Amino acid sequence: MSGKFHLKKGNNGQFHFNLLASNGQVILSSEQYKAHASAINGIDSVRKNASREGAFEIRESSSGKPYFVLKATNGQVIGQSQMYASLSSAEKGCESVRNHAPGASLLDESTAATT
């Protein structure tokens, strides 16, 4: 499966990325980063941690909807999913990140370069 990291620079000057599944759907979103290099490091961390046992944590929002976070080995959250209608859908979302992130390409629209 071929996923894609989509890196953008926001109006506030900060960088953020989304991981897109092969169908173009967003399956993981990052926090905002002040530096481009930090966002690239975040992408590398998602690639490395997506296949690590115990890296995903399914949580429940205040409205009762499940979502998941991906954590680095130090416990820091490096990405978050959308809200899902069911626990099984959130689990499938985790699996989609596991399948897409390690080999995902990078579309860097923050500097107009593609790798």
Side-chain angles (χ1 to χ4, degrees):
M1 290 186 183
S2 174
K4 183 181 291 184
F5 286 99
H6 190 194
L7 177 59
K8 292 182 176 182
K9 187 174 185 178
N11 292 337
N12 62 0
Q14 294 193 355
F15 301 87
H16 67 280
F17 62 84
N18 290 314
L19 173 59
L20 307 172
S22 49
N23 64 3
Q25 183 175 1
V26 174
I27 53 177
L28 188 79
S29 297
S30 75
E31 64 180 357
Q32 294 200 12
Y33 297 91
K34 291 182 181 175
H36 182 266
S38 298
I40 296 295
N41 288 340
I43 290 169
D44 289 341
S45 185
V46 170
R47 285 183 174 136
K48 291 174 190 167
N49 285 287
S51 57
R52 184 175 58 80
E53 187 68 34
F56 290 92
E57 180 180 303
I58 295 181
R59 298 180 176 176
E60 188 174 292
S61 71
S62 59
S63 64
K65 294 194 179 247
Y67 68 99
F68 65 83
V69 295
L70 174 63
K71 295 181 179 183
T73 53
N74 65 3
Q76 181 178 355
V77 173
I78 51 178
Q80 180 175 314
S81 73
Q82 63 182 8
M83 300 298 156
Y84 289 94
S86 68
L87 179 60
S88 65
S89 294
E91 290 168 342
K92 288 177 185 173
C94 294
E95 191 61 31
S96 184
V97 173
R98 280 188 198 96
N99 291 334
H100 288 92
S105 61
L106 172 60
L107 173 61
D108 187 346
E109 290 190 346
S110 68
T111 61
T114 305
T115 58

